[in-house]
Amino acid sequence: MLLSSASRALAAAKPRSPEPFAAAAAAAAVLLRRQLAAVMAAAPASSASAAGNREAFRVAVTNTLERRLFYVPSFKIYGGVAGLYDYGPPGCAVKANVLAFWRQHFVLEEGMLEVDCPCVTPEVVLKASGHVDKFTDLMVKDEKTGTCYRADHLLKDFCKDKLEKDNTLSPEKTAEFNHVLAVLDDLSAEQLGAKIKEYGIVAPDTKNPLSDPYPFNLMFQTSIGPSGLSPGYMRPETAQGIFVNFKDLYYYNGNKLPFAAAQIGLLRVREFTLAEIEHFVDPEDKSHPKFRDVSDLEFLMFPREQQLTGKSAMKLNIGQAVSEGTVNNETLGYFIGRVYLFLTQLGIDKDRLRFRQHLPNEMAHYAADCWDAEIECSFGWIECVGIADRSAYDLRAHSDKSGVALEAHEKFAEPREVEKLVITPSKKELGLAFKGNQRMVLEALEAMSETEALNMKSALESKGEVEFKVCTLGKDVTIKKSMVSINMEKKKEHQRKFTPSVIEPSFGIGRIIYCLFEHCFYQRPGKAEDEQLNVFGFPPLVAPIKCTVFPLVKIEKFEVVAKKISKALTAAGISHIIDMTGNTIGKRYARTDEIGVPLAITVDNTTSVTVRDRDSKDQIRVEVDEVASVVKEVTDGQSTWADIMWRYPAHTASAAEEEEAPET
């Protein structure tokens, strides 16, 4: 699902000698054009003309995406459904390439364990995780029509509209609206409702008054099995499937920590592709052995102190941010650095990417720290990745609910003498008192925390009995002094048992892809006056098609060579298009530039061919038998285009090869 957007400029390759200066100049010109597109999309929010520029830029991008079938509204012939989109062939290819790189960058390079769990999740799982009770958005209703709206979205749109279009705003009001946007996710239902009333915000479609905000659970409810007696939900995150499999994954990993598990899947209210990682770590040691690999990275970070004081994001060194405590621990910092590398290697502009720390009341109650990777686009800054230290909350919750201990252990080199609380239930007394419910009461007693057990010991010694809640029975029972012995004893231990903490990077794949579309989009002049040609400057890593093969003219000997090259490209695993239409070569270049194809092979000879770079438009001569290996070198990232130009003779484009507008 495509929810957001942004604009990118690739760095020009640095020539290795004075000879390819022309290539460097051409690349610099391309860079400048991309930067201008980015400026248009990111112009200051206070300018009405800037808002118009961003809108015009967005329209140019989305029109190109839909026309070239990257995506289209789902069920289009029936009028479509808001928020649902179908990926077309190039869109599917980009998505597949992004996910393949995600697996390479995280699952393979970090040695993670990948799982694939069902979308439908039993209610008991999501009850334990807290989603049934807490996975809500604050909504308001049109008081006359009953139409529902996200309360925070209405307030956000109002503030942004005022900042962009109202040139009469005082400095105080400007600061107020900016502050509301900064703390929007931190506002309670009462605060949201008060702001909506204060600003006179009404239903956008009818201008009718709105209700007070109320919580709405975001999960789709369903039933499992034909009886309908087993309730379930479409999962709101992929993480819970990993948590409930922790015991088996821990065993599979040789009972060793730390380790990480990963999953890609669909979820939530509308279809939304999420890729999540759960990195399990000892809560007493959140260092990371590879932290030094990222510690020197410097990028835009937006700590909570900066947000609360109205300041802007600033460039910080991630190593320094961890050492000073801005980022909670090394493992969290390591994944922030890895996420930065992942996004920028995909093609996200590093100057329009920032990591924003959650405000205190914005964080989940169990989180130790949380940062969002936000990407700027024509819609503003949007969250695309969340990187959170979730502590041990999830594993503890599922341990308590299921009765299965989801624990890790650390073996000691030498036994240690420790004072330990020992809970010894009397099976005989419990059996006489609770009969068939004996097992559930016994397990509940054994699962007590140290604080609960000491409180029970004190009550039993003073009163002789105590009321005790057994969750699996759903009621309180009376525990008498004869039923359980609770003592502190000195014991020798050979290992330490503990519940691991988890660091969770969570990726919204659809949002990342749309931002990538905007960051890679630019326009350049065509042959006709005022004509602009659309280009998607995808890095080869994510380009939907890696190269095209064009016979210069439609004659048999060139077509034979084109088919030979196509066969070699297929054998090398390189996605490509072979185009033998009679269109001019300029039209064919422009048409494939518009879907982001990095390289074009023009067959204009039977022994050697022309290879053209999309962004610089530079061309080289390559022998037919070598062309597939050259293309693979560039598209696999083994060599840059500048490296290749060094080794092969340049080819000067003829007038017939100049760019023309693609046929629509």
Side-chain angles (χ1 to χ4, degrees):
M1 186 174 70
L2 305 165
L3 301 175
S4 314
S5 28
S7 195
R8 160 185 173 266
L10 290 175
K14 185 177 181 181
R16 295 185 177 180
S17 83
E19 198 165 333
F21 277 163
V30 170
L31 179 61
L32 178 60
R33 285 193 290 270
R34 293 191 187 184
Q35 288 172 334
L36 289 172
V39 168
M40 179 175 68
S46 59
S47 164
S49 62
N53 287 341
R54 285 199 302 275
E55 179 65 27
F57 177 79
R58 186 188 310 140
V59 168
V61 175
T62 54
N63 283 350
T64 306
L65 289 168
E66 290 195 26
R67 182 166 50 80
R68 298 314 304 267
L69 213 62
F70 281 86
Y71 70 85
V72 292
S74 299
F75 318 111
K76 188 176 176 181
I77 64 172
Y78 290 100
V81 178
L84 296 182
Y85 296 87
D86 296 336
Y87 284 102
C92 282
V94 169
K95 182 180 180 183
N97 291 339
V98 168
L99 292 176
F101 181 54
W102 187 86
R103 282 191 169 97
Q104 171 67 39
H105 189 79
F106 291 107
V107 178
L108 295 181
E109 291 184 22
E110 302 295 337
M112 295 178 178
L113 311 178
E114 187 171 3
V115 299
D116 188 354
C117 305
C119 288
V120 177
T121 305
E123 184 180 51
V124 64
V125 174
L126 297 173
K127 189 76 175 172
S129 68
H131 285 92
V132 172
D133 299 321
K134 296 178 182 177
F135 194 67
T136 58
D137 272 342
L138 292 171
M139 308 292 288
V140 289
K141 276 186 182 179
D142 181 317
E143 290 191 340
K144 293 186 179 178
T145 67
T147 304
C148 298
Y149 304 93
R150 279 272 298 269
D152 59 335
H153 284 186
L154 292 182
L155 182 55
K156 178 181 179 181
D157 291 344
F158 175 86
C159 292
K160 287 181 68 176
D161 195 60
K162 283 288 187 184
L163 290 167
E164 290 175 1
K165 298 177 182 178
D166 190 344
N167 295 322
T168 66
L169 283 182
S170 66
E172 292 77 18
K173 272 294 180 186
T174 299
E176 178 186 331
F177 289 141
N178 278 320
H179 178 71
V180 169
L181 290 173
V183 300
L184 187 61
D185 291 333
D186 202 26
L187 299 180
S188 65
E190 292 74 19
Q191 291 169 321
L192 268 176
K195 284 293 178 190
I196 286 171
K197 283 184 170 61
E198 179 186 343
Y199 295 150
I201 298 173
V202 293
D205 301 319
T206 63
K207 310 306 177 190
N208 292 330
L210 295 166
S211 70
D212 291 331
Y214 62 93
F216 173 75
N217 194 291
L218 299 171
M219 294 187 295
F220 271 140
Q221 188 168 13
T222 185
S223 57
I224 301 170
S227 68
L229 298 178
S230 180
Y233 294 90
M234 295 295 287
R235 62 186 175 191
E237 61 179 15
T238 59
Q240 299 308 318
I242 297 174
F243 292 134
V244 298
N245 281 303
F246 171 79
K247 190 173 182 180
D248 291 331
L249 291 168
Y250 182 56
Y251 173 77
Y252 182 87
N253 200 53
N255 293 331
K256 296 193 299 287
L257 281 185
F259 78 89
Q263 182 172 194
I264 297 170
L266 294 176
L267 53 100
R268 243 199 278 246
V269 181
R270 294 189 176 100
E271 287 187 10
F272 186 90
T273 302
L274 195 73
E276 283 191 316
I277 295 163
E278 309 301 331
H279 181 92
F280 297 100
V281 64
D282 187 335
E284 295 181 8
D285 180 13
K286 294 183 181 178
S287 62
H288 197 286
K290 293 166 66 178
F291 182 66
R292 290 181 64 183
D293 294 352
V294 303
S295 62
D296 291 335
L297 290 174
E298 186 175 272
F299 41 80
L300 281 173
M301 299 188 76
F302 203 8
R304 61 173 66 98
E305 291 77 13
Q306 300 291 110
Q307 299 171 56
L308 293 171
T309 55
K311 297 178 182 177
S312 301
M314 56 186 179
K315 283 197 172 180
L316 289 177
N317 174 284
I318 188 63
Q320 186 179 349
V322 170
S323 65
E324 293 177 352
T326 304
V327 174
N328 185 268
N329 58 76
E330 271 192 11
T331 298
L332 185 64
Y334 177 73
F335 278 105
I336 289 173
R338 290 290 288 168
V339 168
Y340 169 80
L341 292 173
F342 171 73
L343 293 173
T344 52
Q345 288 175 40
L346 276 182
I348 297 300
D349 179 5
K350 63 183 177 60
D351 294 323
R352 304 182 70 201
L353 167 66
R354 72 183 184 192
F355 290 83
R356 186 186 70 82
Q357 189 176 29
H358 280 203
L359 297 172
N361 291 338
E362 189 181 355
M363 286 204 304
H365 67 277
Y366 50 79
D369 197 5
C370 186
W371 294 76
D372 288 339
E374 297 182 331
I375 302 174
E376 188 185 27
C377 64
S378 62
F379 293 97
W381 290 97
I382 60 162
E383 172 199 347
C384 289
V385 186
I387 309 109
D389 182 339
R390 292 176 69 137
S391 300
Y393 171 80
D394 298 277
L395 291 181
R396 284 194 181 124
H398 288 301
S399 292
D400 292 344
K401 192 71 173 175
S402 68
V404 177
L406 301 179
E407 296 176 332
H409 58 264
E410 175 196 8
K411 290 185 178 179
F412 301 142
E414 297 290 336
R416 297 179 185 177
E417 188 170 83
V418 295
E419 192 172 45
K420 192 174 180 67
L421 182 76
V422 178
I423 302 170
T424 310
S426 169
K427 292 182 180 180
K428 180 182 177 182
E429 293 291 330
L430 292 175
L432 290 170
F434 302 112
K435 297 184 171 56
N437 293 328
Q438 176 205 28
R439 183 180 61 83
M440 286 182 278
V441 177
L442 184 144
E443 288 175 350
L445 288 169
E446 290 178 335
M448 283 191 295
S449 68
E450 185 171 314
T451 302
E452 289 175 314
L454 290 175
N455 288 340
M456 177 178 282
K457 177 180 173 67
S458 175
L460 290 174
E461 287 175 352
S462 61
K463 301 177 185 176
E465 63 181 40
V466 65
E467 292 300 302
F468 176 60
K469 185 172 182 62
V470 179
C471 292
T472 48
L473 286 176
K475 64 179 182 179
D476 288 349
V477 298
T478 301
I479 300 296
K480 296 183 178 179
K481 193 172 182 179
S482 60
M483 295 178 182
V484 62
S485 169
I486 303 170
N487 296 296
M488 296 297 292
E489 297 178 4
K490 286 188 176 180
K491 295 183 67 177
K492 280 193 174 181
E493 288 196 339
H494 297 268
Q495 64 179 9
R496 174 177 71 98
K497 290 185 178 181
F498 60 92
T499 304
S501 288
V502 65
I503 310 297
E504 178 192 75
S506 180
F507 300 75
I509 298 300
R511 294 184 177 194
I512 292 170
I513 289 173
Y514 191 77
C515 288
L516 182 67
F517 288 152
E518 277 203 17
H519 280 222
C520 289
F521 182 82
Y522 66 98
Q523 294 180 316
R524 59 186 173 203
K527 287 178 69 176
E529 188 178 352
D530 296 329
E531 180 185 42
Q532 293 292 310
L533 301 178
N534 300 324
V535 183
F536 278 108
F538 298 121
L541 178 72
V542 294
I545 296 160
K546 307 305 182 188
C547 74
T548 49
V549 184
F550 303 141
L552 181 61
V553 291
K554 194 173 174 62
I555 57 176
E556 185 179 355
K557 64 179 181 178
F558 287 173
E559 291 182 3
V560 169
V561 174
K563 288 176 181 177
K564 179 181 178 181
I565 292 170
S566 174
K567 188 174 180 180
L569 292 169
T570 300
I574 299 167
S575 61
H576 64 283
I577 295 173
I578 182 168
D579 186 347
M580 297 190 185
T581 63
N583 290 327
T584 66
I585 199 69
K587 284 187 182 293
R588 284 184 277 179
Y589 282 154
R591 191 165 59 205
T592 54
D593 288 348
E594 201 173 43
I595 58 171
V597 182
L599 299 174
I601 301 164
T602 303
V603 180
D604 51 6
N605 194 292
T606 57
T607 58
S608 66
V609 295
T610 300
V611 181
R612 169 191 177 268
D613 174 62
R614 174 197 60 216
D615 295 317
S616 67
K617 299 194 286 183
D618 289 326
Q619 301 182 16
I620 57 173
R621 298 295 303 178
V622 180
E623 296 296 311
V624 168
D625 291 339
E626 294 181 59
V627 69
S629 63
V630 168
V631 171
K632 188 169 181 62
E633 243 184 272
V634 175
T635 56
D636 282 359
Q638 301 167 32
S639 300
T640 66
W641 177 251
D643 295 332
I644 298 297
M645 283 193 70
W646 223 169
R647 288 168 23 207
Y648 292 92
H651 173 81
T652 304
S654 66
E657 295 171 303
E658 292 295 323
E659 260 68 20
E660 300 178 42
E663 293 182 345
T664 59

